[in-house]
Amino acid sequence: MKKFVKRFVIILLGILAIYLLYRFLFLKPQTQNNPEATENSPFSVAKVMLFSSAYGENKDTTFGQNNWIVDILQYSDIAIYLENGGADLSAENTVKKLWIEDIALSKPKIGSPSLYYLDSLNFGTAHFNEQNEIQEKLEFTVLNDKNIEDNLQYNTPTFFTDCSNPITLKYVNHSVKSNYEITSDEPVSFNGKLLEMANISLDDLKANLDFTIHIVANNDEEFYQRLSLPIELENENNSILEGSILVKNDARN
């Protein structure tokens, strides 16, 4: 009897090991990229634009033009343009649902980074709404109306079914320099030049944003696109230290 039980336990453990090995090797979690869905997807990233600058939040209510005490933040506005495989729209290449998930934000050497939904009308400005901070995922309201008459407000996450508008996000690195005192008889530019004034190294601001775009088409097929976006603050031609920088990346996957 003991031999039978021992043999039964060994067989059972063997079956369990084979099952776990199969799941590990062949079954991918749904939150990861699905290679088959991505390869056959009518949706792809056509272009990514990043506008980066900085801003000083004034803390001195009695300031004069030549005396400021500010907390310096660095921000990058992100616009992600999707394409849907052609001009002929169908249930296969139009969006029914869209959200971003599996968000990973690397921490730079200095500052405290956060990610927000960005009202597209505020793209390229220092403005952002603290209430739009993204925690675990961001779901968009998908509409069929192209908003030709501008009836729709963009202060809530909105995406058009034909992919005619971008996904807009805002990366903000708060307090890269706190209580920084500016004393100057000259006009002060509240942009990326503040970073140079405060002797902030761009290496200390390096960061990376990763997330998955999850799309459900109108035929109920699901597609995934994993993006890894470095927060680019300089290139061969200019840098954020000159005030701002606009980086365009075409067909980025």
Side-chain angles (χ1 to χ4, degrees):
M1 184 66 179
K2 290 182 178 180
K3 290 183 178 181
F4 173 80
V5 173
K6 184 177 181 180
R7 186 176 301 171
F8 177 78
V9 171
I10 292 173
I11 294 173
L12 185 62
L13 290 174
I15 294 173
L16 180 61
I18 293 172
Y19 172 75
L20 293 175
L21 182 63
Y22 171 80
R23 284 186 63 84
F24 179 79
L25 292 177
F26 298 103
L27 298 182
K28 303 296 182 183
Q30 198 173 35
T31 57
Q32 300 297 319
N33 278 347
N34 184 327
E36 181 179 354
T38 299
E39 181 180 350
N40 299 323
S41 174
F43 306 101
S44 60
V45 175
K47 178 174 61 176
V48 178
M49 296 178 60
L50 290 93
F51 174 89
S52 297
S53 189
Y55 186 70
E57 297 177 316
N58 180 56
K59 300 180 66 176
D60 187 356
T61 58
T62 62
F63 65 88
Q65 185 177 358
N66 61 346
N67 188 13
W68 307 77
I69 298 177
V70 298
D71 285 344
I72 300 176
L73 62 84
Q74 183 270 310
Y75 67 90
S76 295
D77 292 349
I78 304 166
I80 303 163
Y81 294 82
L82 302 181
E83 58 184 8
N84 56 0
D88 296 329
L89 301 180
S90 65
E92 288 75 23
N93 69 349
T94 53
V95 177
K96 180 179 181 181
K97 295 180 181 180
L98 183 146
W99 63 91
I100 65 172
E101 60 188 4
D102 300 330
I103 301 168
L105 189 59
S106 68
K107 185 172 176 56
K109 293 180 181 179
I110 60 174
S112 178
S114 299
L115 185 66
Y116 301 86
Y117 164 71
L118 174 64
D119 183 336
S120 60
L121 299 179
N122 291 322
F123 189 92
T125 73
H127 181 77
F128 65 96
N129 189 336
E130 289 280 1
Q131 296 181 345
N132 287 336
E133 184 175 1
I134 304 168
Q135 298 298 334
E136 296 181 357
K137 64 182 291 188
L138 176 66
E139 187 162 1
F140 290 75
T141 299
V142 178
L143 300 177
N144 294 322
D145 186 353
K146 291 188 177 181
N147 198 35
I148 296 175
E149 298 180 356
D150 292 327
N151 294 322
L152 178 69
Q153 299 296 314
Y154 290 92
N155 56 0
T156 58
T158 305
F159 192 79
F160 295 122
T161 187
D162 63 352
C163 303
S164 58
N165 69 311
I167 297 169
T168 48
L169 307 171
K170 193 179 196 82
Y171 166 89
V172 179
N173 190 4
H174 300 272
S175 298
V176 298
K177 190 84 168 184
S178 299
N179 298 317
Y180 179 63
E181 185 173 354
I182 302 173
T183 302
S184 175
D185 293 329
E186 299 295 328
V188 177
S189 298
F190 274 50
N191 54 31
K193 293 180 179 179
L194 285 174
L195 301 174
E196 188 170 33
M197 288 182 62
N199 294 317
I200 296 173
S201 169
L202 296 188
D203 287 338
D204 290 339
L205 300 178
K206 286 183 178 179
N208 207 79
L209 172 62
D210 298 271
F211 59 89
T212 297
I213 301 174
H214 191 155
I215 298 173
V216 180
N218 276 299
N219 64 351
D220 291 326
E221 285 192 72
E222 298 190 37
F223 304 98
Y224 306 84
Q225 176 70 61
R226 187 70 179 172
L227 287 184
S228 181
L229 302 176
I231 304 301
E232 299 181 66
L233 304 179
E234 60 182 338
N235 56 26
E236 296 177 354
N237 300 317
N238 62 337
S239 82
I240 190 175
L241 300 179
E242 298 172 28
S244 63
I245 182 172
L246 180 64
V247 178
K248 300 179 182 180
N249 295 299
D250 293 329
R252 188 167 189 169
N253 294 303

